């Protein structure tokens, strides 16, 4: 009996390292462990997978909605540009008929003068004619000799007589060049009806060519029958038939997804242009617009796999822990003590590193002090004074320490501009803080910088960080506009007003006159194909306004550009 009890105690102790219980004699620990592991893993992993799938679908739906919204906004903005273009021509013709009598319009020379005026003011006008109520073109000015032609059976004539206006679809004309025509009905003082009709070279494709569609996008016009009115990247040239399913005519923008024959999906936005036969179509590549989501799929799967692996490993460790012997618990506790000790050691190393970083200025100060002491000693000891290399070496050490301190202070000063209230600023000091970061680029491009900013200038009032950003934007633009061996001139002077005038001139390529009036507009850029966003000068203009100043630009092509900035002084604040 005693031997049997002893054997039973040995079997009871056999859970863990050392002798083990025979499987099935008391408890099937493997089966219990597998059951516990399976249930715990199921309850832990199922919510993770559920939320991962939920996030996956919500993200995709959100990006799809955002892509459709962006296509819709682009279609709305482009529609306004097209509508504005057509309205300008309509208003010009309306002005012509209201400012000239029917007899004046019947004069061929007068009508030819009007045509020349329209060509010079708007461009693209091919001819112009006056059609009476019977459909006969009584007066015509243009290259095709269409005087006397009868249009009573033409659809545009009937539409203009019925509704007062008609904008034609695109047609090729005599020169086989795409044209559109605009016809307006007018009533003379004697109640006679007549129509003024002008043919305009097709400029709509030029407006659409400026629309930026990412990736394999497209922007074009079609009519109600799906015939192209402008060239399309996907569907061919003008007057070719497309197989696009068009939405019903409304005053809202419609979006849908269409599939090309090559299997590519495109997000399409449709907008009917009022009082015209045109339908604007904006196509954006769904694959390109959904690329962030496609990239997030891989990341999501990776994180999900890592999370599940960590959960399974953790569950395996935890469930196994409950079926170990007490000795294993002590071993585990000892292991945790070692881990805590290691983490404490790592924390101490981190504090030590922080202390070293904080105290690194002390040896620099000592170097500076000792180098100065050596220099002083050299002046009093003849044997040291006679060695020029010693003094040169000490000067190099002092110069390096001084340069290191100056660069550190300038960097911290440039990066830590947190004040919001306007404060007095020394313009030359702010300018030096900006140029210190551009000296290397100027040296690489061999750009000569000429600075003429007197120290006697009155202080300007403003925010240092905003003024730094203004100067940095303008100087960066100047560097980009100048070739190798250019010249940047910066000068400042007092004015009769409580302002300081700052001129920043470069010897770059200059700005064409037609672009001068647009350079401060948001998103206007001549370097969009080079990564430009068109926001730099717009932001600069806004910052100058916030500083209480004003900015203007003068430029000549191939000679250079000058930005003139007026900054308020402290005297203006006192007034």
């Amino acid at each position: 009996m005693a031997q049997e009890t002893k054997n039973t105690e040995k079997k009871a102790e056999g859970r863990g390292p050392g002798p083990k219980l025979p499987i099935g004699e008391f408890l099937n620990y493997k089966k219990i462990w597998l059951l516990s592991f399976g249930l715990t893993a199921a309850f832990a992993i199922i919510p993770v997978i559920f939320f991962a799938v939920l996030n996956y679908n919500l993200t995709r739906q959100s990006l799809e909605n955002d892509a459709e919204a962006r296509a819709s906004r682009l279609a709305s903005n482009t529609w306004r540009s097209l509508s504005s273009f057509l309205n300008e021509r309509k208003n010009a013709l309306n002005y012509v008929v209201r400012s000239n009598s029917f007899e004046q319009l019947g004069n061929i020379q007068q009508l030819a003068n009007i045509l020349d005026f329209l060509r010079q003011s708007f461009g693209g006008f091919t001819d112009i004619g006056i059609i009476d109520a019977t459909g006969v073109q009584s007066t015509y000015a243009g290259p095709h000799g269409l005087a006397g032609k009868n249009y009573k059976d033409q659809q545009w004539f009937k539409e203009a007589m019925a509704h007062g206006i008609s904008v034609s679809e695109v047609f090729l004309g005599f020169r086989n060049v795409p044209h559109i025509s605009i016809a307006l009905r007018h009533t003379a003082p004697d109640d006679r009806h007549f129509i003024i009709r002008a043919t305009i070279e097709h400029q709509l494709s030029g407006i659409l060519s400026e629309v930026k569609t990412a990736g394999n996008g497209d922007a074009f016009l079609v009519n109600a029958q799906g015939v192209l009115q402008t060239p399309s990247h996907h569907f061919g040239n003008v007057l070719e038939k497309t197989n696009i399913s068009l939405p019903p005519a409304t005053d809202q923008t419609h979006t849908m997804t269409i599939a090309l024959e090559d299997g590519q999906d495109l997000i399409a936005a449709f907008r009917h242009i009022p009082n015209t036969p045109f339908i604007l179509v904006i196509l954006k590549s769904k694959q390109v617009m959904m690329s962030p989501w496609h990239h997030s799929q891989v990341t999501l799967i990776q994180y999900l796999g890592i999370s599940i692996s960590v959960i399974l490993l953790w569950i395996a460790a935890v469930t196994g822990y409950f079926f170990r012997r007490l000795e294993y618990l002590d071993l585990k506790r000892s292991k945790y003590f070692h881990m805590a000790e290691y983490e404490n050691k790592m924390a101490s190393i981190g504090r030590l590193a922080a202390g070293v970083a904080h105290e690194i200025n002390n040896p620099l100060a000592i170097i500076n002090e000792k180098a100065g002491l050596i220099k002083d000693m050299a002046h009093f000891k003849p044997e040291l004074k006679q060695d020029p290399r010693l003094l040169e070496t000490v000067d190099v050490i002092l110069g390096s320490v001084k340069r290191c301190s100056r660069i550190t202070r300038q960097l911290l000063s440039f990066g830590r501009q947190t004040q919001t209230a306007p404060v007095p600023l020394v313009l030359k000091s702010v300018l030096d803080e900006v140029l210190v970061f551009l000296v290397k680029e100027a040296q690489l491009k061999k750009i000569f910088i000429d600075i003429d900013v007197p120290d006697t200038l009155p202080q300007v009032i403003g925010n240092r960080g905003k003024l730094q950003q203004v100067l940095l934007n303008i100087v960066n633009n100047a560097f980009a506009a100048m070739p190798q061996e250019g010249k940047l001139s910066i000068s400042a002077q007092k004015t009769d007003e409580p302002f300081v005038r700052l001129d920043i001139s470069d010897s770059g390529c200059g700005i064409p006159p037609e672009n001068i009036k647009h350079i401060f507009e948001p998103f206007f850029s001549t370097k969009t194909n080079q990564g430009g966003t068109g926001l730099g000068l717009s932001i600069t203009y806004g910052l100058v306004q916030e500083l209480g100043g004003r900015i203007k630009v003068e430029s000549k092509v191939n000679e250079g550009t000058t930005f003139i900035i007026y900054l308020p002084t402290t005297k203006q604040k006192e007034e």
Side-chain angles (χ1 to χ4, degrees):
M1 184 68 180
Q3 183 66 31
E4 183 178 353
T5 304
K6 185 177 181 181
N7 291 339
T8 304
E9 289 175 355
K10 287 183 178 181
K11 292 178 181 179
E13 291 177 357
R15 292 173 290 177
K20 297 183 179 179
L21 285 172
I23 296 178
E25 184 169 345
F26 288 100
L27 291 174
N28 191 338
Y29 292 103
K30 183 177 181 180
K31 183 177 181 180
I32 295 175
W33 182 86
L34 289 175
L35 182 61
S36 301
F37 177 81
L39 291 175
T40 308
F43 281 105
I45 293 174
I46 288 176
V48 174
I49 296 177
F50 171 77
F51 285 110
V53 173
L54 182 63
N55 178 71
Y56 180 88
N57 291 328
L58 289 177
T59 303
R60 180 183 63 183
Q61 183 178 358
S62 176
L63 286 176
E64 287 180 351
N65 293 338
D66 181 66
E68 291 181 358
R70 282 188 284 168
S72 178
R73 286 194 298 268
L74 181 59
S76 298
N77 294 335
T78 307
W79 162 76
R80 292 186 180 93
S81 298
L82 295 171
S83 181
S84 176
F85 171 83
L86 294 174
N87 286 335
E88 284 180 354
R89 275 67 186 167
K90 295 176 187 176
N91 293 335
L93 293 178
N94 192 33
Y95 173 76
V96 168
V97 297
R98 290 182 181 275
S99 58
N100 295 273
S101 64
F102 183 75
E103 289 73 18
Q104 290 174 322
L105 294 174
N107 187 312
I108 297 178
Q109 185 58 43
Q110 177 70 7
L111 198 60
N113 293 336
I114 292 174
L115 179 60
D116 290 338
F117 169 76
L118 293 175
R119 286 174 176 173
Q120 295 175 5
S121 301
F122 300 95
F125 278 85
T126 303
D127 57 18
I128 188 171
I130 305 299
I131 298 96
D132 59 24
T134 63
V136 176
Q137 187 160 245
S138 58
T139 312
Y140 172 81
H144 305 305
L146 299 178
K149 186 175 178 60
N150 195 317
Y151 294 104
K152 68 177 182 179
D153 295 327
Q154 297 290 326
Q155 181 62 31
W156 64 263
F157 177 79
K158 298 176 181 178
E159 184 178 349
M161 291 299 293
H163 303 289
I165 186 172
S166 172
V167 178
S168 73
E169 297 179 356
V170 173
F171 60 96
L172 295 180
F174 287 96
R175 293 183 297 163
N176 201 30
V177 176
H179 287 67
I180 62 172
S181 66
I182 300 177
L184 296 177
R185 186 193 67 194
H186 185 70
T187 304
D190 56 359
D191 293 334
R192 285 185 299 171
H193 295 292
F194 66 93
I195 292 176
I196 181 171
R197 177 176 181 263
T199 304
I200 304 172
E201 291 185 5
H202 192 18
Q203 297 172 305
L204 300 177
S205 57
I207 298 176
L208 294 177
S209 65
E210 298 177 357
V211 179
K212 304 301 178 184
T213 54
N216 197 21
D218 201 357
F220 55 91
L221 295 174
V222 296
N223 61 11
Q225 291 74 38
V227 178
L228 287 172
Q229 305 295 288
T230 61
S232 169
H233 175 69
H234 294 288
F235 299 100
N237 212 336
V238 180
L239 301 182
E240 293 186 11
K241 186 73 167 62
T242 67
N243 56 355
I244 300 177
S245 178
L246 299 174
T250 63
D251 58 352
Q252 300 294 327
T253 302
H254 293 269
T255 57
M256 65 178 67
T257 301
I258 62 176
L260 298 180
E261 296 179 355
D262 58 2
Q264 183 182 6
D265 290 335
L266 298 175
I267 297 177
F270 301 88
R271 183 63 185 253
H272 288 74
I273 302 178
N275 301 319
T276 71
F278 304 131
I279 302 173
L280 172 64
V281 183
I282 299 291
L283 299 180
K284 282 181 167 285
S285 173
K286 189 173 183 179
Q287 181 180 3
V288 173
M289 301 190 74
M290 295 293 291
S291 58
W293 176 72
H294 292 301
H295 293 309
S296 67
Q297 294 181 61
V298 178
T299 305
L300 179 62
I301 294 174
Q302 290 176 347
Y303 282 135
L304 182 62
I306 294 173
S307 301
I308 292 176
S309 301
V310 171
I311 291 173
L312 292 177
L313 292 174
W314 177 251
I315 292 174
V318 172
T319 54
Y321 167 79
F322 290 108
F323 300 99
R324 305 286 184 183
R325 294 182 57 186
L326 183 59
E327 291 81 3
Y328 181 76
L329 179 60
D330 292 336
L331 182 63
K332 194 76 173 180
R333 184 178 59 181
S334 177
K335 180 181 178 181
Y336 282 142
F337 283 143
H338 286 296
M339 290 177 62
E341 182 180 357
Y342 175 76
E343 291 176 357
N344 186 41
K345 183 185 297 183
M346 295 302 294
S348 299
I349 294 174
R351 289 192 294 270
L352 178 61
V356 171
H358 178 72
E359 295 294 333
I360 197 170
N361 284 330
N362 292 336
L364 284 178
I366 295 173
I367 293 172
N368 186 65
E369 179 184 354
K370 298 304 181 183
L373 178 60
I374 294 172
K375 188 173 182 180
D376 293 338
M377 293 173 62
H379 284 287
F380 292 103
K381 292 186 178 183
E383 63 273 15
L384 296 178
K385 192 173 183 179
Q386 293 175 359
D387 188 355
R389 291 186 301 172
L390 176 62
L391 296 178
E392 292 178 0
T393 304
V394 171
D395 289 336
V396 170
I397 295 173
L398 292 174
S400 299
V401 173
K402 186 175 181 181
R403 179 171 175 264
C404 180
S405 300
R406 184 178 67 254
I407 292 175
T408 304
R409 288 196 304 270
Q410 288 173 341
L411 182 61
L412 293 176
S413 174
F414 189 83
R416 295 182 178 177
Q417 303 303 330
T418 57
Q419 83 275 6
T420 57
V423 297
L425 301 172
V426 178
L427 181 59
K428 188 173 183 180
S429 173
V430 179
L431 184 62
D432 291 339
E433 292 171 357
V434 173
L435 292 180
V436 73
F437 298 100
L438 300 171
V439 170
K440 289 298 182 182
E441 183 178 356
Q443 292 176 352
L444 291 175
K445 289 188 174 182
K446 298 180 181 179
I447 295 174
F448 175 73
I449 302 178
D450 180 23
I451 302 176
D452 182 16
V453 181
D455 294 327
T456 58
L457 282 177
Q459 289 183 324
V460 298
I461 188 78
N463 179 283
R464 180 180 294 270
K466 292 180 180 179
L467 182 55
Q468 287 173 343
Q469 187 173 354
V470 168
L471 297 176
L472 189 61
N473 285 348
I474 295 178
V475 175
N476 273 331
N477 279 354
F479 278 18
M482 286 188 290
Q484 295 287 334
E485 300 182 357
K487 180 180 179 182
L488 177 69
S489 299
I490 303 176
S491 62
Q493 58 184 349
K494 298 179 183 179
T495 62
D496 296 334
E497 300 175 328
F499 286 89
V500 169
R501 171 173 170 165
L502 177 65
D503 292 15
I504 304 178
S505 304
D506 63 69
S507 59
C509 58
I511 305 172
E514 63 272 14
N515 292 340
I516 285 286
K517 59 183 179 181
H518 299 295
I519 61 171
F520 293 122
E521 296 177 0
F523 305 107
F524 176 80
S525 176
T526 59
K527 299 183 292 184
T528 52
N529 58 344
Q530 303 175 15
T533 62
L535 290 175
L537 289 178
S538 175
I539 293 174
T540 300
Y541 183 85
L543 290 174
V544 173
Q545 295 290 322
E546 293 177 12
L547 291 170
R550 58 185 186 270
I551 183 173
K552 65 179 182 178
V553 60
E554 297 175 355
S555 181
K556 291 184 180 180
V557 177
N558 298 325
E559 292 187 15
T561 303
T562 300
F563 283 89
I564 303 172
I565 306 173
Y566 291 90
L567 298 172
T569 65
T570 53
K571 181 179 178 182
Q572 184 193 45
K573 183 180 180 182
E574 294 171 359
E575 293 177 354

